[in-house]
Every structure is written in C-alpha cells, then in structure tokens.
Amino acid sequence: DVKVTQSSRYLVKRTGEKVFLECVQDMDHENMFWYRQDPGLGLRLIYFSYDVKMKEKGDIPEGYSVSREKKERFSLILESASTNQTSMYLCASNSGGRGRNTGELFFGEGSRLTVL
Amino acid sequence: AQSVTQPDIHITVSEGASLELRCNYSYGATPYLFWYVQSPGQGLQLLLKYFSGDTLVQGIKGFEAEFKRSQSSFNLRKPSVHWSDAAEYFCAVGPSGGYQKVTFGTGTKLQVIP
C-alpha cells in the first residue's frame, strides 16, 4: 500500500515562528502536493511539485514556500507563521509525472497547526 | 478554470436508508472525476473515480457514482447506509492544463442516525 507520512500530527506555534511541515512518501511517486483544509472551504492547493527541485504555485501560495530536495520528501515552510495559517495541512502524492498523471491522490493523515 | 460545487454542506440519513450526495463540476473538456471520503482525524481516501467509458462507476464500501455530462454532475450513491459511513465526502475534478492540479469541492458531512 502507498504510504504518505506527515511527521507531525499536531503542532502549536507562536506568531512569527518559522514552521516546517514534513511529508514523506514511500511509493516513488513523481508528484507531491500540499493542501490546506478549512471548514466550509474544502481543500485548497498551496503548492505542488512534479520533480525533485521543481515546484509550482497552487491557488493559495502566499505566506508559504516548499522544498523538494529528494523525490520522496516534500516540505512545506511557513517563514513567519500567522494566526490565519491555523489550519489542517494535508500532503498528497501520485504517480505519472507531468502530463501522465491519473489524478488519483494518496493522502497523509494531516498536520493540524495552531498558531497563537 | 475548473470548479466543483457540492450544494449540501450537511446531510443526515437513517441507518439502512439510501444516500445520494450531489456534485456538479465545471470543466472545459472531459473531466477526470473523483469522490474521496475523510473519516474524523484522518486523511482522504479514494472511494471511486471516473476517467472514461461506462458512466456508472463502482467504488469501495458499496458506493457508486454516475457521470452525467448533460447535467455536469457526478452524484455519489449508496443503497443502504451503515453507521460507519458517517464521514465527510469530497468530490473532485482534474487534472487540468497538463499539470497535476485536482480541484476539490467544499465537502458534504454525512451524519447517520440509528
């Protein structure tokens, strides 16, 4: 089975702190994604990556950055956390690479971030 | 731009009753369509998907969905709901533009009462 692991299930941070959310997948998937989930808003795409060192902005990239130094790992970075970034963050991956993707996503269990 | 509308935020059904969750999409070509389920405190799990071919697709846990191009809909159904089906359900459409972008609806929370 595909496994997508998010290192932290729950985090509490203070305004202005730098926050790292880590995601690792074990199925050699080319594509990885970061979504945030908020009640009534569904899932919104922050960033995605279709190859090592490649990244593309999603719908709501402001206030976030990402890093993909290895194929299996995709990190989401909040340079200076703010209270409006309190949310559930979901990492996902899938195979196929650019132009060959089937669309099906495999999700981690999520990281619930609270910014005080 | 692609988009998904789930008009029902919250639905309550009795155990054993039938279920239909609505999903309407906007997409310029033939879409890829998905239904995902999220149990409390968990990530999302794929229930079923439509890429092409037969417009009635079967998924896991006894769910099915029907793609209706004329109505731009992809409604999820189950003939008899079990208490364990209580969860949040998300419809999604994608990909688009040669990239891997899947767009999700806002979700429908299902409550099952005895």
Side-chain angles (χ1 to χ4, degrees), chain A residues 10-37:
Chain A
Y10 301 94
L11 303 93
V12 179
K13 298 293 182 180
R14 297 211 174 270
T15 300
E17 279 192 77
K18 190 169 186 175
V19 181
F20 292 86
L21 299 179
E22 304 287 340
C23 175
V24 177
Q25 51 93 4
D26 65 359
M27 283 301 292
D28 201 35
H29 283 167
E30 291 86 352
N31 308 315
M32 296 188 74
F33 307 81
W34 276 106
Y35 287 88
R36 73 176 273 178
Q37 181 181 13

Side-chain angles (χ1 to χ4, degrees), chain B residues 34-86:
Chain B
F34 309 85
W35 275 100
Y36 287 85
V37 60
Q38 184 181 35
S39 298
Q42 302 296 314
L44 279 70
Q45 179 186 19
L46 182 70
L47 278 177
L48 48 78
K49 60 189 177 186
Y50 170 79
F51 289 166
S52 64
D54 192 349
T55 56
L56 183 65
V57 294
Q58 303 295 322
I60 62 171
K61 305 185 182 187
F63 285 91
E64 66 177 27
E66 186 171 13
F67 169 57
K68 293 186 178 180
R69 185 189 303 274
S70 61
Q71 299 176 18
S72 297
S73 69
F74 189 58
N75 294 347
L76 182 71
R77 300 194 295 250
K78 187 170 185 179
S80 178
V81 169
H82 187 263
W83 64 266
S84 60
D85 292 325

Side-chain angles (χ1 to χ4, degrees), chain B residues 13-36:
Chain B
V13 299
S14 298
E15 190 167 15
S18 64
L19 171 70
E20 183 169 28
L21 302 182
R22 296 183 291 165
C23 172
N24 291 96
Y25 67 88
S26 173
Y27 189 74
T30 300
Y32 292 176
L33 292 160
F34 309 85
W35 275 100
Y36 287 85

